[in-house]
Amino acid sequence: MSLVSLEFAFFVAITAFIYFILPSKYQWFALFGASVYFYIGKTAWYQSVNFLVFLIINYILSLLISKYKEKKAIYFTALIFDILYLFVFKYFSFFAIPVMGLMSDPSKIQFANAFLKELAPAGLSYFALILIAYITDVYWENVDVQKNPLKFATFAGFFPLLTSGPIVQYEPLQNQFFSKKNRFSYDNLINGLERILYGVFKKLVIAERIAKLVNPIYENYEQYNGLYIPFAAAMFALQLYTDFSGLMDIVLGVAEIFNIKLPENFDTPFYSLNLSEFWRRWHITLGGFLRDYVMYPVQRSKPLKNLRKFCKKKFGKGYEQKFNLPLYVSLFVSWFLIGLWHGGGWNYIFGVGLYMWFVIVLSDITKPLFDKLKATFKIKTDCFSYRLFQRVRTFILFMFGLSFFRANTLEDGLLMWKAAFAEFNPWILFDKSLYYLGLEKEECFIVFIGLLIVFIVSFVKQKGDVREQIRKQNFTFRVLIFAVLFVLTVAWGYYGMGFEAANFIYGRF
Amino acid sequence: MNSKVKNLIKGIIVFIVFALILAGMSRLFTLKSLDGIEQMRSFYKQKDNTVDVLFLGSSKVYCQIDNGILWDEYGISSFDLGGAEAPPWNSYYYMKEALKTQTPKVIIYDASIIGYRSDVLAQPEVWAITNNYGMKWNKNRIDQLKSNTQDEKMFYKLLFPLGSMHSRYNELTKDDFVDSKNSINFKGFDFRNTLYVSEKPDMSGVWDTAEFDEKFAYYLKEMINLAKEKNVPFVVMISPYCVSVEEQMIFNAVGEICKENDTVFLNFNNMYDELGLDFTTDMAETVHVNLRGSKKFTDYLGKYVVANYGVVDHRGDEKYSSWDVDADTNRQIREDNQEYSGQVFLDE
């Protein structure tokens, strides 16, 4: 069931009702039951079985890790199993297709590819990382293993997470899931509903509309030159933000109703001053996972330790200020994986992986040079205009990389940008050409209003938690704000007859 | 005040506010359609037990039967309660709604739809909407929608008007706010005044019957039984139009059902001459008569009803003053539409 459907709303309402009438000790069981129902309803039976097998194996291995002293071997077995599982069901085609090209009879591989795709459980990219994090934390003794298999399944298969994360860790959640005291909270109910409403607004009012501007260009890029390309890239960045952050608002809002606080996945990323900061504010939990479970272990690994020793010896102490090779290597690994995680395709690996790595590393390397230039030309950096420049620059850098994420292939992405320079046509911004893409003037106005609301919310957020600030206002004002948002969502939302709200973009991972 | 009580009160206020918003938006955005929605809404506004002659059916009722003429000529208080292409199951639920507040002297059901939409067992969305959204929120409304949708998915899709109507935000007009036709003074008539020239069908030799889906027969019988249960005379008619032989055969089968159930059956496609219908001047298109044809058809119905069902002349009775207003309106319509609004040519 879709997270923006009435069916899901009823499902959450019924689950919440059952949850809060149960004694605290057994409330988690309502979440378990709801998650089972949600997952089975969403997937084919064989995908559910596949997911169940994956859970059982991780459960057993996590018990063994905690039980035995020789846990290293067991841990690495579990880790390799999880990674292989991810690779087999998600990346088989990425590795198989080039091989198929070399074979005279690729039919067996084609069959295997189709079979594995069909069998792949929904939410694979998310729960695989959640469980890798869990077994690693058990191995590192950051958490006690969860011995109750149903409780384990409740955490690993918590239904709001199954669509698109966030990628959670067990430690901050275990007390929330299995807390002895968990009474209904009116404040959390209202907060959750407010957040869900905002998420639905972003998805159905803004993201779905922007898609009508973006899709025609990406699907027929051969017909578009010049400014159409950066326009599509910029709009896609906004579409993805409103789609994904909207989804996260719904997920976090739903969890909040159950008094469960999930980690944030977005923190007004378009306010970032550079790409490094951007990725600390965008898909925060993915970045956090790769930092804690990839980058830091890589940095602590023997090869990197040796590399640091080598650099120190070769370039002297303080080499990090000029060229921090060990950091760049560990970043490379992380960014490669970020790209790969998004999809088995070079467009993902490049666009949201290696390109981002390159820009971040280049920024780091050229920082002393630019600092010198700023000083020479007396460019003020602690002012609104410079920060605005930084934000616009960051957005442009991000949207360029992201444009490959949207393109079908890396080659298509490159051809699109080649076409961007084939013609200089700024008039398309003025002569109503953009209205012919698929969104009429009035609809474009709605997009504008929607983005303005998002901007205002983001602006207010710079001063602190938005809902906290709203809560300080009079009750009437608070009701009015959300009543207006509700009216706009109901009137302008892409739902119902004649609309089929597209699946969430990040839901396909 | 205890914080739990405070929160409960706040919660109730918030719930009421949002429920009112939804109800208001639903009302505002729903089409003010003269293909069923406004007919049903206006019907609810009629004073109890004032509708003496209730016409049920499809657009062949509300596009063809001029309540103003029935009032002006005979003082008959009638109402055209139809929906676009309304199949018998829709009319059945309309009938159930109507009999909650009215005890007509006669109900005349136009069963033409059984012939010319015999393959439609669930209406397309646009007509399902106009047939349903005028009804009050009750079991009849839900049952009617269930009977008229192909599957559960469609049912839930159409159940709440905002799901299908919210996209009208950029086509709202003054009438969406004012809803002028939703009034006690509106009796359902929505005229057609184009001209379609055709040959008069000759059904004189067509007496065979043809089968049609059991669903149509079931609801027709349900209507007949409901009328009997409420002790209300019930007449099944087929209004005149450019009927085909196949359709006429279906109507013959309908006539047999009526005969089996002791119900009066009038097929006006065997009575063009009695009506004085001229197919070169009186048809709007193949299915509906225009204003000229409507005058003739309504006149005949008026005489028929007076002769057979003892309807009272209510002219001058203050309780029925809304029929005066409706008749004035319809008179003005006929005055303003002496000329045809256009000519219809259909592909051969």
Side-chain angles (χ1 to χ4, degrees), chain B residues 65-115:
Chain B
I65 302 170
D66 188 339
N67 318 96
I69 291 174
L70 291 174
W71 178 258
D72 279 342
E73 305 291 321
Y74 308 101
I76 295 172
S77 57
S78 66
F79 199 99
D80 296 336
L81 188 58
E85 304 208 347
W89 42 95
N90 281 7
S91 299
Y92 168 66
Y93 288 105
Y94 271 19
M95 186 173 165
K96 283 184 89 175
E97 279 298 281
L99 291 174
K100 283 180 185 174
T101 56
Q102 303 291 337
T103 315
K105 298 288 185 286
V106 62
I107 295 176
I108 300 180
Y109 169 61
D110 184 329
S112 307
I113 200 77
I114 300 176

Side-chain angles (χ1 to χ4, degrees), chain B residues 39 42-43 46 51-56 61-82 184-191 291 294-295 297-299 301-302 315 320 322-331 333-334:
Chain B
Q39 276 83 359
S42 299
F43 184 83
Q46 307 305 309
V51 175
D52 279 355
V53 181
L54 178 65
F55 295 101
L56 283 174
V61 148
Y62 60 78
C63 291
Q64 302 193 129
I65 302 170
D66 188 339
N67 318 96
I69 291 174
L70 291 174
W71 178 258
D72 279 342
E73 305 291 321
Y74 308 101
I76 295 172
S77 57
S78 66
F79 199 99
D80 296 336
L81 188 58
I184 188 175
N185 298 322
F186 178 58
K187 309 300 177 185
F189 182 57
D190 182 36
F191 72 98
L291 276 174
S294 163
K295 173 91 174 65
F297 181 45
T298 308
D299 261 337
L301 283 172
R315 284 172 288 187
Y320 294 83
S322 60
W323 270 272
D324 275 318
V325 178
D326 177 64
D328 286 343
T329 305
N330 290 6
R331 216 178 299 119
I333 285 171
R334 290 196 297 277

Side-chain angles (χ1 to χ4, degrees), chain A residues 6 186-187 209 443 446 475 479 482-483 486-487 490-500, chain B residues 7 10-11 13-14 17-18 21-22 25 29 125 129 157-158 160 162-164 166-167 169-170:
Chain A
L6 272 179
Y186 169 82
D187 285 340
R209 273 188 175 76
E443 297 289 296
I446 291 172
F475 173 70
V479 172
F482 286 101
F486 182 69
V487 168
V490 170
W492 288 346
Y494 264 38
Y495 64 91
M497 197 172 99
F499 301 102
E500 286 297 335
Chain B
N7 286 339
K10 277 184 185 174
I13 292 172
V14 168
V17 165
F18 281 81
I21 288 174
L22 269 180
M25 287 182 77
F29 282 88
E125 288 178 5
I129 282 168
K157 203 173 170 188
L158 299 183
F160 299 107
L162 274 175
S164 41
H166 72 95
S167 55
Y169 56 81
N170 60 356

Side-chain angles (χ1 to χ4, degrees), chain A residues 24-91:
Chain A
S24 295
K25 202 174 160 189
Y26 301 110
Q27 280 174 332
W28 63 269
F29 199 73
L31 296 181
F32 170 76
S35 300
V36 169
Y37 178 85
F38 181 82
Y39 201 82
I40 289 175
K42 196 177 158 55
T43 60
W45 69 266
Y46 41 83
Q47 293 167 338
S48 300
V49 168
N50 190 3
F51 179 44
L52 181 63
V53 166
F54 181 73
L55 283 184
I56 291 171
I57 291 173
N58 271 275
Y59 169 71
I60 293 170
L61 289 172
S62 65
L63 286 179
L64 294 175
I65 290 169
S66 72
K67 190 175 176 183
Y68 291 104
K69 279 193 180 156
E70 306 81 17
K71 52 173 125 185
K72 193 172 182 178
I74 304 170
Y75 167 67
F76 277 100
T77 303
L79 186 63
I80 290 166
F81 168 75
D82 287 348
I83 292 170
L84 269 177
Y85 183 90
L86 193 53
F87 267 72
V88 161
F89 287 106
K90 186 167 176 175
Y91 300 110

